[in-house]
Amino acid sequence: MEASQLQRPKAKLSKQAWVAYALIAAPFLLMVLLIVYPASLSIVRTLRPEVEGVRRFGLENYQAFFSDHTSVTNLIFTLWSTGAIIGLLFAICLPIALYLRFTDSWIAHWVQGLALFPLFVPGIILAYALIRFIGPNGLLETFIEVTTGWQGYRTPYLKPAGSIIGLVWEGIPITVLILTAGLAQVPDNLIEAARDVGAGRLQIFFRIILPLIGRSLLIAFALNFLGVIGAFTLPYLLGPAAPQMMGPFMQRTFYNVLNPDAAETQAVITFLLSSIVGFLYVRSAVRQQKEET
Amino acid sequence: MASLTFNHLNKQFGSVKAVDNLNFEVKNGEFICLLGPSGCGKSTALRMIAGFEEPSSGDILMDGKSIIALPPNKRPTAMVFQKYTLWPHMTVYKNIAFGLQLRGLEKKVVEDKVHSALDLVGLKGYEKRLPAQLSGGQQQRVAIARALVLEPQILLLDEPFSSLDAHLRVRLREELKSIQRSLGITTIFVTHDQEEALSLADRIAVMSSGQVEQYDSPDIIYAKPSSLFVAGFIGSMTLLEAENKGSELKLGNYTLPSSEIVKGKDVKVALRPEDILLADANGWAAKVSQVMNLGPFYSLVLAIEGLGSVKALFPKTSLLKEHDQINVLPNRYLIYHEDGVEEITL
Amino acid sequence: MTFLRRLAKDPFGIVIFIALFLFIIGPMISVVLWAFSIQWRYPSLLPTEWGLKFWAQTFKRADILQALPLTLMISFIVTIVSAIICLPAAYAFARIKFRGSQFFLLSFLATNAFPRFGLYITIAVIFLKLNLISTILGVVLIQLVNTLLFMIWIPTAAFKGVDKSLEEAALDVGASRFRVFWQITLPQVIPAISAALLLTFVGTFYETQGAILIGLPGIRTMPVLMLSLINNQLVVQYGAILSLTLWIPSLILLLFARRVLSGKTLAAGFGV
């Protein structure tokens, strides 16, 4: 009697488990077929170049990439831009997030609204808007000239700064969102306790707050890094034609130069570049999930 | 160590008066409990001493000097919070050492102080643990050590034990009291638990809607609560409607002696359960309607005709059961009237 | 006076607000001004001639009339397909205990763990062989990739948020499992699920990178058309008017977001 009672829920569980596997099969297979499979296939294929009609293992594709001046310049330019964008995003968003965490005024509500607004502006519309705003004879130039009479405005449009401005604009909301979520998890008591034992603002920020939001900083860094390395629309429309960021460079190689193999190699190189970041992102998201359950 | 004075202290949040004209004094080395229901302003008062809230008006004096212009990090007070008190990314050692390091003390001095603070709270050998590896009681002990290591003039505690289970609460209470006695540090302890306040404090300030209702020693507060609010909040008390008939009070079919002072006033009679004693046939006829075993005592609910339910506390030797018919009389009672309270002992 | 005093209390807030306003709203203002101008000669701060002349012209263009229904159709298909495959999975993740459920749930983070455009290139190489380039099916598939994480994580969090004892109480009084789901569980998760649906629809509607790589030359969605208008069209107003019109779905999302989408719901979609 007791034994059967103990076994029954177990048997029921496994039947339910089959239902669960059936329910998750479709999205999981889709994910494997459209992400894991193409990505790993590309990694394998680029390592097996076709030489004189025969595919075999070799590093020719990568040698071609790294011996090509344009490719290397574009890669370095992409990394440089990524660093600049992430640096700017933290410099802009950390003060905003701290302000939102410790202020409860109606101005704070408007600041929050403004910071999240770009979430609702698609990249393509943003690109157009920025061209009209910061571009040659745009609203900003007109405004500066009309109000100050200064005529030295140099447009960042189609220059490295153009894509940086666009990607920073686009990155503000998730960065603010992630940082405020992290700061919200720092209880007031921990900060008050630090003030109580004599810590000033800077000491509280560096010794209490920063270590406690480490994970949020990491996730914000990772998502922005992956986002910028994998961006196309904004660098394509706002950035320079040379050097190019990897997104437009890959598109040109695939679509205009009609060289899918080279494009694939470029793609795999972006994977490798961001593999550590991608891994750190997934790991910290996994830990977050585990702690919540 | 220092004395503390509240001088017409007010704190307003929007239209709500959290603290309403607080005036009282804490002597050097005294252990004071601020006791009251949630929302009575006791925590706000404490947070104003620590400097986390700014008073709307009034003053707080420490040894006669105003401290309200000082930021929290400049005040000679140290606070222990209710929960989330320890910095989770620092070890026990670093938690306690943090404040000392901010003061630029030498490494060896910091080490010695941290060790003796841990010793004081009985957590020697826990230096390298992280807060997450400690039990709730241990975390609060570390929080106390962290506060004491800075050798503050005044120790502030905001319901520090309320998230612990009952057993542990009693133990930490005893430990805190002996630490306080050995250091002689002026201590202000906020709690909503009357038992905690009665057992810890030299004096208790019972608070209600931002004001101090009564500020006295635990003995006086228990024996002679100055108002019906305090009477209801501290211990168990039976309140009876009474008719004021000159020299006598009429309670249902029975009478009790009255006092000159309450003549012509509306009154209520209050009885502590332990002041109800068994009596002869002249006493109040009562039926035992409920018996609860409290260990050394029975807590009884007596049904008395014309009076209603009265609580009583009898020793187990009385051997009473439900439905027993007995006679009882109070040997002490309080008469509450609009101007205060009178105590009558028979 | 009191207004000024309240402003003075939060000087840092005002500085942030003004700076953010110029940076975030400034570009948007120039689009609105262009959309309602007929002529705007430099260096005038405002359009030199206002009017709606270009609106009629814009919506007479054959390429726009063709792209709009196509884009709407693709967005609908993607949203519906994504809902059909993801919502049951979300329910399973939230309500059924099974071996590896954590692993499977977290595996969808893979959609965020690759640089997006690089991933599209590798997909495009395969689609090229399968002749899926320049087909609706190809575009729908690549858009589905983007929707998986949102469509599974947000509803999973919502289903988990429904108090299990409410469901058990209903089962206890004799309701069938299906009835419990329909009458107890579903009403409580509808806000989060509609948020996920809306995010999916709007996200697909505006998706440019996958659409340009897989769709061209045969399938030209609105954002792709917009891209070529920006690059090749001399009439500035077309782009401005199209931007304003295209922004309507996002505006609906924005209004909806104020009520339903909390920062937390959004954060769930990023795996935070």
Side-chain angles (χ1 to χ4, degrees):
Chain A
M1 177 70 192
E2 258 178 35
S4 72
Q5 265 181 345
L6 275 175
Q7 267 169 4
R8 257 183 68 199
K10 227 181 182 178
K12 211 173 158 191
L13 206 91
S14 79
K15 190 187 151 200
Q16 273 199 341
W18 285 115
V19 176
Y21 292 129
L23 291 179
I24 65 165
F28 183 73
L29 285 179
L30 193 66
M31 194 269 295
V32 170
L33 281 177
L34 286 175
I35 294 171
V36 181
Y37 174 67
S40 17
L41 190 69
S42 286
I43 295 173
V44 173
R45 279 167 44 95
T46 51
L47 287 169
R48 288 172 55 82
E50 204 175 294
V51 181
E52 289 155 12
V54 191
R55 278 199 175 272
R56 52 152 185 79
F57 177 81
L59 291 172
E60 281 85 348
N61 280 323
Y62 294 92
Q63 278 161 359
F65 180 92
F66 284 106
S67 57
D68 175 34
H69 180 70
T70 316
S71 305
V72 175
T73 313
N74 288 345
L75 185 65
I76 292 171
F77 174 64
T78 306
L79 285 175
W80 177 83
S81 303
T82 309
I85 289 161
I86 293 177
L88 282 169
L89 276 172
F90 277 116
I92 294 170
C93 298
L94 251 181
I96 294 178
L98 284 168
Y99 167 73
L100 293 176
R101 168 67 178 80
F102 295 109
T103 320
D104 185 25
S105 70
W106 57 276
I107 300 175
H109 287 234
W110 280 98
V111 168
Q112 188 181 23
L114 273 179
L116 295 186
F117 179 77
L119 213 51
F120 302 95
V121 179
I124 185 74
I125 294 180
L126 167 66
Y128 179 81
L130 277 177
I131 293 172
R132 294 293 143 226
F133 187 61
I134 60 171
N137 297 356
L139 189 60
L140 187 62
E141 185 176 358
T142 321
F143 183 76
I144 290 173
E145 200 177 315
V146 169
T147 50
T148 67
W150 185 61
Q151 295 199 333
Y153 180 81
R154 290 250 187 289
T155 177
Y157 175 52
L158 298 183
K159 293 188 189 116
S163 49
I164 290 178
I165 291 174
L167 288 165
V168 165
W169 202 96
E170 209 178 31
I172 285 179
I174 57 161
T175 314
V176 167
L177 209 59
I178 292 166
L179 293 180
T180 38
L183 284 172
Q185 284 168 10
V186 179
D188 282 347
N189 279 356
L190 293 186
I191 291 156
E192 288 184 344
R195 286 176 74 190
D196 199 43
V197 300
R201 278 164 193 267
L202 285 179
Q203 285 155 334
I204 290 176
F205 177 70
F206 284 107
R207 304 208 35 196
I208 308 291
I209 293 178
L210 268 192
L212 288 176
I213 60 167
R215 181 177 297 165
S216 301
L217 294 173
L218 179 72
I219 291 183
F221 172 83
L223 281 177
N224 281 314
F225 187 94
L226 292 162
V228 171
I229 297 265
F232 166 73
T233 315
L234 290 171
Y236 175 71
L237 288 173
L238 300 172
Q244 259 184 326
M245 283 183 68
M246 289 308 279
F249 180 46
M250 283 186 265
Q251 193 264 349
R252 189 163 56 101
T253 313
F254 184 85
Y255 195 78
N256 296 36
V257 184
L258 290 173
N259 188 348
D261 277 357
E264 210 173 14
T265 310
Q266 293 158 6
V268 172
I269 285 170
T270 68
F271 290 174
L272 295 179
L273 269 183
S274 31
S275 58
I276 298 171
V277 177
F279 169 75
L280 288 177
Y281 161 71
V282 171
R283 195 185 61 170
S284 67
V286 167
R287 286 198 182 154
Q288 182 99 12
Q289 279 288 303
K290 290 222 166 108
E291 270 165 38
E292 273 167 25
T293 51
Chain B
M1 315 300 122
S3 70
L4 194 74
T5 313
F6 291 90
N7 211 339
H8 300 288
L9 194 67
N10 284 291
K11 177 70 190 178
Q12 206 141 352
F13 292 113
S15 60
V16 183
K17 273 189 177 170
V19 167
D20 187 2
N21 197 23
L22 217 55
N23 279 302
F24 70 93
E25 214 171 300
V26 179
K27 285 186 208 134
N28 192 354
E30 234 181 343
F31 196 130
I32 298 299
C33 277
L34 300 182
L35 173 68
S38 60
C40 73
K42 55 191 193 300
S43 282
T44 310
L46 195 78
R47 291 169 60 78
M48 283 194 281
I49 305 172
F52 298 132
E53 304 283 356
E54 231 174 280
S56 305
S57 67
D59 206 349
I60 303 172
L61 308 173
M62 197 180 285
D63 282 338
K65 271 179 270 171
S66 173
I67 56 163
I68 57 168
L70 298 174
N73 42 354
K74 298 271 159 63
R75 292 191 192 194
T77 58
M79 181 126 157
V80 178
F81 296 87
Q82 181 181 353
K83 48 183 178 178
Y84 307 121
T85 45
L86 300 180
W87 301 301
H89 59 295
M90 296 185 189
T91 60
V92 167
Y93 182 89
K94 283 193 180 151
N95 259 282
I96 300 173
F98 186 59
L100 298 169
Q101 286 164 349
L102 290 175
R103 282 162 180 72
L105 294 183
E106 256 177 71
K107 208 179 157 203
K108 185 82 186 70
V109 181
V110 172
E111 225 164 81
D112 289 345
K113 284 186 184 243
V114 173
H115 286 308
S116 62
L118 274 175
D119 210 12
L120 190 67
V121 296
L123 283 179
K124 226 178 179 173
Y126 283 73
E127 287 84 351
K128 292 206 173 111
R129 302 248 190 136
L130 283 169
Q133 297 166 312
L134 300 178
S135 70
Q138 288 168 336
Q139 289 184 21
Q140 288 310 68
R141 285 198 187 99
V142 175
I144 291 170
R146 184 178 68 187
L148 289 174
V149 81
L150 297 171
E151 291 161 23
Q153 302 286 305
I154 296 182
L155 178 63
L156 308 169
L157 302 102
D158 191 2
E159 310 215 17
F161 307 145
S162 64
S163 47
L164 307 177
D165 66 56
H167 187 70
L168 200 57
R169 206 151 58 209
V170 174
R171 246 184 71 193
L172 279 170
R173 210 187 272 169
E174 288 160 3
E175 288 178 23
L176 176 67
K177 179 123 180 176
S178 83
I179 290 172
Q180 192 267 339
R181 282 289 178 262
S182 68
L183 299 176
I185 183 172
T186 313
T187 302
I188 301 180
F189 187 108
V190 160
T191 178
H192 62 263
D193 179 346
Q194 43 120 351
E195 198 187 305
E196 201 162 65
L198 288 172
S199 60
L200 278 171
D202 296 320
R203 280 196 284 174
I204 298 174
V206 183
M207 292 185 65
S208 147
S209 33
Q211 292 175 315
V212 171
E213 290 269 333
Q214 187 171 7
Y215 184 41
D216 265 315
S217 72
D219 286 343
I220 298 178
I221 294 237
Y222 184 81
K224 198 178 167 187
S226 66
S227 67
L228 283 173
F229 173 83
V230 180
F233 203 75
I234 304 270
S236 170
M237 190 77 106
T238 306
L239 273 185
L240 298 171
E241 298 292 333
E243 229 177 296
N244 198 345
K245 296 236 162 169
S247 62
E248 285 187 328
L249 298 172
K250 192 159 186 297
L251 297 102
N253 306 325
Y254 305 105
T255 57
L256 283 174
S258 183
S259 149
E260 270 302 304
I261 301 164
V262 303
K263 233 173 210 170
K265 293 175 179 166
D266 286 335
V267 296
K268 278 200 165 90
V269 169
L271 300 163
R272 285 277 183 218
E274 63 272 24
D275 293 334
I276 306 280
L277 303 177
L278 282 171
D280 57 20
N282 294 327
W284 304 348
K287 191 179 140 197
V288 179
S289 60
Q290 201 184 75
V291 180
M292 267 189 295
N293 192 336
L294 296 187
F297 294 103
Y298 284 144
S299 164
L300 305 180
V301 179
L302 306 173
I304 300 175
E305 217 185 291
L307 279 185
S309 294
V310 173
K311 279 185 218 145
L313 207 59
F314 285 159
K316 281 211 166 153
T317 48
S318 61
L319 293 175
L320 290 168
K321 307 182 299 296
E322 279 177 25
H323 309 304
D324 282 354
Q325 290 286 346
I326 53 173
N327 289 84
V328 293
L329 266 182
N331 72 339
R332 199 186 74 94
Y333 52 94
L334 299 167
I335 308 170
Y336 285 94
H337 54 92
E338 59 240 55
D339 302 318
V341 58
E342 289 306 310
E343 182 185 5
I344 299 206
T345 314
L346 296 179
Chain C
M1 193 58 218
T2 49
F3 177 75
L4 283 177
R5 203 172 301 145
R6 269 160 66 198
L7 277 180
K9 260 188 177 174
D10 193 3
F12 187 59
I14 296 168
V15 173
I16 292 187
F17 179 83
I18 292 172
L20 262 187
F21 187 86
L22 288 177
F23 186 48
I24 303 281
I25 304 298
M28 299 295 119
I29 291 175
S30 45
V31 174
V32 176
L33 291 178
W34 266 112
F36 296 101
S37 70
I38 289 174
Q39 201 176 56
W40 190 352
R41 289 240 168 83
Y42 182 78
S44 161
L45 196 54
L46 290 171
T48 25
E49 199 183 337
W50 298 82
L52 295 172
K53 188 179 111 192
F54 285 100
W55 283 76
Q57 277 186 29
T58 306
F59 291 104
K60 271 192 211 128
R61 288 178 62 109
D63 49 2
I64 290 175
L65 289 178
Q66 211 179 7
L68 189 62
L70 179 73
T71 314
L72 285 173
M73 184 185 75
I74 289 176
S75 304
F76 270 116
I77 295 175
V78 169
T79 308
I80 288 166
V81 172
S82 180
I84 289 173
I85 65 172
C86 292
L87 292 181
Y91 183 78
F93 280 126
R95 277 292 182 262
I96 304 177
K97 272 191 184 165
F98 58 96
R99 204 180 257 274
S101 69
Q102 275 281 330
F103 165 78
F104 285 110
L105 182 59
L106 293 166
S107 71
F108 290 98
L109 283 173
T111 56
N112 260 1
F114 288 96
R116 184 105 324 151
F117 202 73
L119 189 65
Y120 289 162
I121 291 280
T122 64
I123 298 174
V125 171
I126 292 178
F127 280 14
L128 200 61
K129 297 212 177 85
L130 297 173
N131 282 327
L132 283 171
I133 298 282
S134 184
T135 64
I136 290 191
L137 179 62
V139 174
V140 166
L141 281 175
I142 201 141
Q143 308 287 39
L144 270 177
V145 175
N146 287 321
T147 68
L148 292 176
L149 190 64
F150 266 126
M151 246 341 195
I152 288 181
W153 277 41
I154 292 178
T156 299
F159 279 125
K160 276 186 181 157
V162 177
D163 192 350
K164 218 169 181 176
S165 60
L166 289 177
E167 293 177 1
E168 283 163 354
L171 283 174
D172 202 45
V173 298
S176 68
R177 277 204 174 269
F178 180 75
R179 206 185 166 85
V180 168
F181 176 78
W182 202 248
Q183 294 196 330
I184 309 288
T185 317
L186 200 58
Q188 296 188 62
V189 294
I190 275 188
I193 288 182
S194 22
L197 288 172
L198 201 57
L199 280 171
T200 302
F201 183 86
V202 174
T204 310
F205 188 84
Y206 293 120
E207 209 285 331
T208 318
Q209 320 192 140
I212 199 172
L213 203 60
I214 306 292
L216 285 182
I219 306 294
R220 198 177 281 262
T221 62
M222 283 301 270
V224 177
L225 181 67
M226 176 93 188
L227 202 90
S228 61
L229 274 184
I230 292 176
N231 275 350
N232 314 320
Q233 188 47 248
L234 289 174
V235 181
V236 174
Q237 282 86 342
Y238 289 158
I241 290 162
L242 217 52
S243 289
L244 273 195
T245 335
L246 277 186
W247 198 58
I248 291 171
S250 218
L251 183 70
I252 295 169
L253 180 67
L254 180 66
L255 295 175
F256 185 75
R258 285 177 59 86
R259 287 185 31 221
V260 181
L261 277 180
S262 65
K264 234 187 143 179
T265 316
L266 280 172
F270 293 110
V272 180

